Every structure is written in C-alpha cells, then in structure tokens.
Amino acid sequence: DVKVTQSSRYLVKRTGEKVFLECVQDMDHENMFWYRQDPGLGLRLIYFSYDVKMKEKGDIPEGYSVSREKKERFSLILESASTNQTSMYLCASSLSAGGLKTQYFGPGTRLLVL
Amino acid sequence: DQQVKQNSPSLSVQEGRISILNCDYTNSMFDYFLWYKKYPAEGPTFLISISSIKDKNEDGRFTVFLNKSAKHLSLHIVPSQPGDSAVYFCAATGLGGATNKLIFGTGTLLAVQP
C-alpha cells in the first residue's frame, strides 16, 4: 500500500510567520504535488515536482515555495503566512511510468493563520 | 477557466438507491479520468478510473461511464450506503508530460440517508 504522510494534521500560525509543511511518501514515486482545498473551489495545485531538486509552479504558486532535496520528501513553505492562506493542504504522489496516473494523497494539514 | 466541472454541489439519496454523480469536461485532450472520495479532515482516496478508450469501468458497487462525444462522465453507486456519504471529486489528465497533472472538479457532497 502506498503511504503518504504529512508532518502535522493541524497547525495554528500567526500572520507573518514562516511555515513549513512536510510530506513523505514511501513508494519511490517520482512525482509529488501540493494542493490546497477550499470550499467550493475543489483542489487547486500549488506546486509539483517530477524529480529531486526539480519543481514547477502549479495554478496558484503565489506566496508559496517548495523544496525537494530527497526523492521521498517534498516540503511546502509559506514564506510569510497570511490569513488568506488558511486552508486544508494536501500532498500527493504518483509514478511517472506507463499509464499509471493515479495520485495518492496524504491525510492533509489544516492550517489556520491568525 | 474551469476545465472540469461538477455542477451539482450536493446530492441526497436514500440508502439502497442509486447515486449518480456527474462531471463535465471541456478539453478534448484529456484521456484518463479518475474519481476520488473525501471524508472531512482526511485526504482524498482513489475510487475508480477510466481510460478514454473505454466507455465503462466497474468495480463492485461503483461504475464509471464515459461519453466522449458529450465530454461527460458519471459515477454510479449501487446500492448506496450511509458510509458512502462524502465529497466526491472527479479529475482528468492527459495534457502531456510525465507528471500526469490532474485537473480536479469542485466536488459533489453526497449524503446517503438511512
């Protein structure tokens, strides 16, 4: 079974703080993704990575950065948290090979920025 | 511009009856479609998928139908159970590249009444 874990289930931070969200997968997947989920907006892609040290912007990268130093770990960084970044953050991973296009998600981190 | 649309934000069904969740897409380049189920405070879990070379895929109580000419897919759950109550997201991919980025709809909240 694919396992994707996220470092925290719930976080409360203050405006202006730097926030780190960590994601680890144990299935040697090449691709990793960060999404945020907000009511009525579905899942929106923030950043993704297709290899170590490689990253690409998704649909809403503003205010975020990412780091992928090891294949199994993908970190999302909020450089200076703002209240509009209060959301559910979801990490996912997938293989690159063949027709295997399913993404597997972690449990999510619910972030509240005060 | 929303490339994957779920026009029904919510659906209520009696236990034992059929649930039909709908999804429309606009991009004819999509060639693979997935359904995910999400409980509150958890990450989405993969449910079922379908390739564009098929028009139906079945897995137990879950069946996905694809109508390429109408750019429409639907998820049928028969019989519906209270444990099926969740948000259902459809997603599409196939725009090229090895990362298999998924484009998600906004979700439909299914409530199965006992």
Side-chain angles (χ1 to χ4, degrees):
Chain A
D1 258 3
V2 176
K3 194 159 177 70
V4 180
T5 56
Q6 294 182 230
S7 51
S8 306
R9 293 301 301 272
Y10 301 94
L11 271 181
V12 181
K13 297 292 181 181
R14 297 238 175 246
T15 301
E17 278 193 77
K18 192 167 185 174
V19 182
F20 292 87
L21 302 181
E22 300 259 306
C23 175
V24 177
Q25 50 94 6
D26 67 357
M27 284 303 290
D28 204 34
H29 285 175
E30 292 86 2
N31 305 320
M32 296 188 75
F33 307 82
W34 275 106
Y35 295 88
R36 61 179 282 178
Q37 184 207 353
D38 300 288
L41 297 177
L43 276 69
R44 294 181 292 165
L45 182 63
I46 304 171
Y47 266 97
F48 64 100
S49 167
Y50 52 90
D51 202 351
V52 175
K53 297 195 186 294
M54 307 305 289
K55 60 186 179 185
E56 286 203 23
K57 294 179 180 179
D59 301 316
I60 51 164
E62 297 78 18
Y64 303 94
S65 63
V66 290
S67 171
R68 191 157 180 211
E69 296 297 317
K70 293 185 177 181
K71 190 176 186 179
E72 67 271 17
R73 190 178 297 269
F74 192 34
S75 302
L76 179 70
I77 302 149
L78 287 66
E79 297 290 343
S80 176
S82 63
T83 54
N84 63 12
Q85 291 178 311
T86 290
S87 187
M88 169 74 116
Y89 289 88
L90 293 158
C91 174
S93 70
S94 71
L95 280 169
S96 284
L100 302 172
K101 304 185 182 187
T102 303
Q103 289 184 18
Y104 297 91
F105 284 84
T109 296
R110 186 163 290 283
L111 173 66
L112 173 63
V113 182
L114 300 173
Chain B
D1 185 30
Q2 195 77 19
Q3 296 188 72
V4 178
K5 301 177 187 178
Q6 293 178 257
N7 292 318
S8 298
S10 63
L11 175 68
S12 183
V13 170
Q14 287 293 120
E15 181 178 5
R17 306 294 277 265
I18 184 170
S19 295
I20 300 176
L21 296 101
N22 294 304
C23 181
D24 296 294
Y25 61 96
T26 57
N27 196 324
S28 56
M29 297 297 290
F30 290 142
D31 64 4
Y32 197 80
F33 305 87
L34 306 91
W35 284 94
Y36 284 83
K37 174 180 176 180
K38 186 181 183 301
Y39 293 118
E42 292 185 15
T45 54
F46 169 71
L47 201 54
I48 192 168
S49 62
I50 189 166
S51 164
S52 61
I53 61 173
K54 293 186 172 183
D55 54 20
K56 177 182 173 181
N57 189 27
E58 194 171 350
D59 183 2
R61 296 186 298 115
F62 302 91
T63 303
V64 56
F65 295 92
L66 176 62
N67 182 334
K68 289 186 289 294
S69 60
K71 294 192 180 70
H72 177 84
L73 63 153
S74 60
L75 175 68
H76 292 210
I77 306 173
V78 182
S80 301
Q81 299 173 354
D84 296 329
S85 298
V87 177
Y88 289 78
F89 291 99
C90 68
T93 187
L95 301 181
T99 51
N100 298 318
K101 283 171 56 177
L102 295 181
I103 311 298
F104 283 87
T106 52
T108 296
L109 174 62
L110 174 65
V112 180
Q113 312 294 338

